[in-house]
Amino acid sequence: MQYTKIVGGNGLEGEVPISGSKNACLPIIAATLLTHETCILHNVPDLTDTSHMLEIIRYLGSKVQRLEKNSWSITAQQVNYQAPRESAGRLRASVCLMGALLGRKKQAIVPIPGGCNLGARPIDLHLRAFETMGVTIKMQEEQVYLSAKNLRGTTLSMEGPRGSTVTGTANLIMAAVLAEGITTIQQASKEPEIGDLCHFLVQMGTKIHGIGTETLTIEGVDTLYGTEFTIQPDRMEAGTFIILGLLCGNSIAVTGTQRIFLQSALCGLFDAIPHMGEYCHWENDTLHVSHAEKMPPFSIQTRPYPGFPTDLQPQITVLASQIVGTSYICDTIFPERFAHVTEFKKFGMHIEQRTGAIYVHGRTKLQGTSVQAMDLRAGGALYLAGLTAHGETTIRGVEYVDRGYEHFETKLRALGATIERMEA
Ligand code: EPU
């Protein structure tokens, strides 16, 4: 059992290079199953989630070779269609295996996906989409059995009660690229990670129109080809470090992304926080972030892109605790994504909970404490709180953070953080 010790309260400064995007990379690894030729992926982040996904496609028959630290060669010459129950069940993105295997094999057996416990995470929109393409589906012992005589193009919306589904959109795209006829996806997810998947598939020979918009039109083709592709930077990692800079940065330089990309990919964050520009400035493609001395309280509702991302909701809550006044944070996508509030209160934060929302009364002086991470992004936010708090903080459940932040503690140490990973 591992845990991390942090001594907080110091100003941090230095450079932090942003790694490749977990949520762009995972569906793209699944999409390599759609061709028997070799795909080469660069800027693949070194995470437990990506290792799991690579293990799963290796189990399915792909030849997976590491070329360099963040570069992999993947060749799915022969592919079987039954995903390994144990590891696929642990990873939310394993749901994307359904679309890829249906596209390649017209059948798939995939466990009900796992992933961070953010409240209800149904896959009804995914399954409904496949059914409209002629897929028959049955569920048995936590496994989903999907098969189709032939996969035909369809027209449907991927909008759910809480906005468009990201992996649902990815799934339908991957099932459609080798289907007969044309598929039109209305209310498609416009997340930048879906854009990366589409660009990857276009390089493989797919015909997709409307990339980046809410209407995608996909013309099914007979064959897809190998290609070489670089995964986009991880905007959620960048957002986490930007918020860290606003909390305790003497001056943190966020590098490894392009200004034009990050301004667009994180517009939800930049637009939501008042006076952000007073504490962030660009020098070419480096974003310099400093401590937000006087920031007014804010009111935020998480929304699908281009709204404020739910994956930065716990992190922005820590910032709200350091702002004089009352901020309001509502998660419209995962209304139950507030398990971290009990842990935040141990630092001394003053938070009132409502259904699907919280009021954060600042400014409170945070004291180091002992806390438990419950999911990836809340785990990252506990590090931000520990670095802001005075005294020592112990964080258990740090394995969650290893799922989605590459070399997180190394990057924090490079900024001057006093932080140590321990074995219990
Ligand atoms: N939903 C349905 N039915 C479905 C699918 C989704 O009702 O069939 C609902 C969900 O319950 C939720 C909303 O739609 O209320 C959005 O869920 P979505 O399907 O978009 O989430 P996801 O695809 O399961 C991805 C990311 C999450 C991120 C969400 C929202 C990956 C691997 N995961 O999850 O990332 O929070 O989109 O943007 O892409 C993270 O990286 O920490 C993380 C949780």
Side-chain angles (χ1 to χ4, degrees):
M1 180 69 175
Q2 297 190 342
Y3 64 96
T4 290
K5 271 194 187 307
I6 293 173
V7 176
N10 324 318
L12 301 178
E13 60 186 280
E15 245 187 59
V16 58
I18 299 304
S19 303
S21 163
K22 167 180 86 83
N23 289 349
C25 173
L26 294 171
I28 286 173
I29 291 173
T32 62
L33 295 169
L34 290 161
T35 176
H36 60 284
E37 294 190 350
T38 296
C39 292
I40 295 187
L41 302 181
H42 299 293
N43 207 28
V44 174
D46 183 13
L47 306 167
T48 44
D49 272 12
T50 44
S51 308
H52 269 139
M53 200 63 169
L54 290 166
E55 269 318 302
I56 290 168
I57 61 165
R58 186 179 274 130
Y59 174 95
L60 291 170
S62 290
K63 199 162 123 240
V64 178
Q65 280 174 313
R66 186 170 218 159
L67 305 175
E68 285 162 50
K69 180 169 161 293
N70 297 104
S71 294
W72 293 81
S73 163
I74 300 168
T75 312
Q77 225 143 29
Q78 303 296 333
V79 174
N80 63 60
Y81 58 82
Q82 174 149 13
R85 184 190 281 266
E86 188 269 336
S87 57
R90 277 214 307 262
L91 196 65
R92 178 73 191 171
S94 61
V95 72
C96 295
L97 294 166
M98 293 180 185
L101 290 171
L102 281 170
R104 176 73 185 267
K105 304 287 287 183
K106 309 272 184 296
Q107 52 187 5
I109 302 175
V110 180
I112 302 267
C116 287
N117 176 14
L118 311 175
R121 299 188 80 178
I123 57 169
D124 56 311
L125 299 171
H126 300 239
L127 303 182
R128 187 192 65 180
F130 293 140
E131 282 170 341
T132 66
M133 298 182 79
V135 178
T136 51
I137 296 170
K138 72 178 171 51
M139 315 275 262
Q140 206 172 347
E141 290 163 18
E142 299 289 296
Q143 297 251 78
V144 187
Y145 294 72
L146 308 103
S147 67
K149 279 200 185 43
N150 53 36
L151 225 42
R152 53 175 190 274
T154 182
T155 292
L156 89 162
S157 163
M158 288 313 283
E159 172 115 52
R162 296 203 181 89
S164 304
T165 161
V166 179
T167 47
T169 302
N171 246 336
L172 181 53
I173 293 168
M174 287 192 273
V177 293
L178 291 169
E180 286 167 21
I182 291 178
T183 296
T184 301
I185 306 178
Q186 296 154 342
Q187 285 83 35
S189 160
K190 295 189 286 185
E191 310 300 291
E193 294 79 15
I194 293 294
D196 234 24
L197 172 65
C198 290
H199 292 305
F200 175 65
L201 290 166
V202 164
Q203 280 189 206
M204 291 171 81
T206 309
K207 294 189 176 68
I208 303 182
H209 307 280
I211 297 175
T213 75
E214 65 174 24
T215 305
L216 294 173
T217 306
I218 299 150
E219 287 173 50
V221 293
D222 296 331
T223 314
L224 293 178
Y225 304 95
T227 189
E228 187 160 1
F229 188 80
T230 298
I231 305 290
Q232 70 181 220
D234 192 315
R235 64 191 175 111
M236 298 310 173
E237 183 194 20
T240 301
F241 278 103
I242 290 168
I243 294 169
L244 175 65
L246 295 171
L247 278 164
C248 40
N250 290 339
S251 171
I252 287 182
V254 176
T255 62
T257 78
Q258 280 83 36
R259 172 174 185 170
I260 190 160
F261 167 78
L262 206 59
Q263 278 182 320
S264 157
L266 275 183
C267 57
L269 170 64
F270 293 125
D271 294 349
I273 307 299
H275 307 266
M276 189 82 155
E278 290 168 33
Y279 309 103
C280 301
H281 74 271
W282 288 95
E283 252 173 51
N284 303 320
D285 284 327
T286 297
L287 179 64
H288 295 275
V289 188
S290 53
H291 175 49
E293 286 296 338
K294 286 195 191 56
M295 188 177 264
F298 44 71
S299 171
I300 282 174
Q301 291 204 324
T302 68
R303 292 280 177 212
Y305 185 85
F308 186 90
T310 175
D311 291 348
L312 291 178
Q313 180 258 93
Q315 301 92 312
I316 206 72
T317 301
V318 181
L319 180 63
S321 78
Q322 300 307 294
I323 290 172
V324 176
T326 295
S327 295
Y328 173 74
I329 299 164
C330 168
D331 199 322
T332 68
I333 296 178
F334 293 115
E336 293 162 42
R337 190 178 196 165
F338 291 101
H340 47 274
V341 169
T342 44
E343 301 305 299
F344 282 9
K345 287 181 174 175
K346 292 176 184 171
F347 286 100
M349 286 188 213
H350 184 183
I351 301 175
E352 280 179 78
Q353 279 193 265
R354 298 286 185 279
T355 308
I358 53 174
Y359 287 95
V360 186
H361 306 289
R363 169 176 186 175
T364 46
K365 199 168 160 36
L366 306 186
Q367 290 303 329
T369 179
S370 175
V371 287
Q372 169 78 39
M374 312 235 198
D375 66 65
L376 163 59
R377 304 302 173 185
L382 289 174
Y383 280 70
L384 302 189
L387 290 163
T388 306
H390 290 266
E392 186 173 279
T393 292
T394 302
I395 304 176
R396 295 179 312 286
V398 290
E399 295 77 18
Y400 279 112
V401 170
D402 298 339
R403 295 183 47 181
Y405 288 105
E406 185 183 56
H407 309 154
F408 195 46
E409 295 180 5
T410 307
K411 293 184 181 180
L412 290 170
R413 255 193 295 278
L415 294 174
T418 307
I419 186 167
E420 200 178 347
R421 177 69 65 101
M422 322 284 275
E423 283 292 334

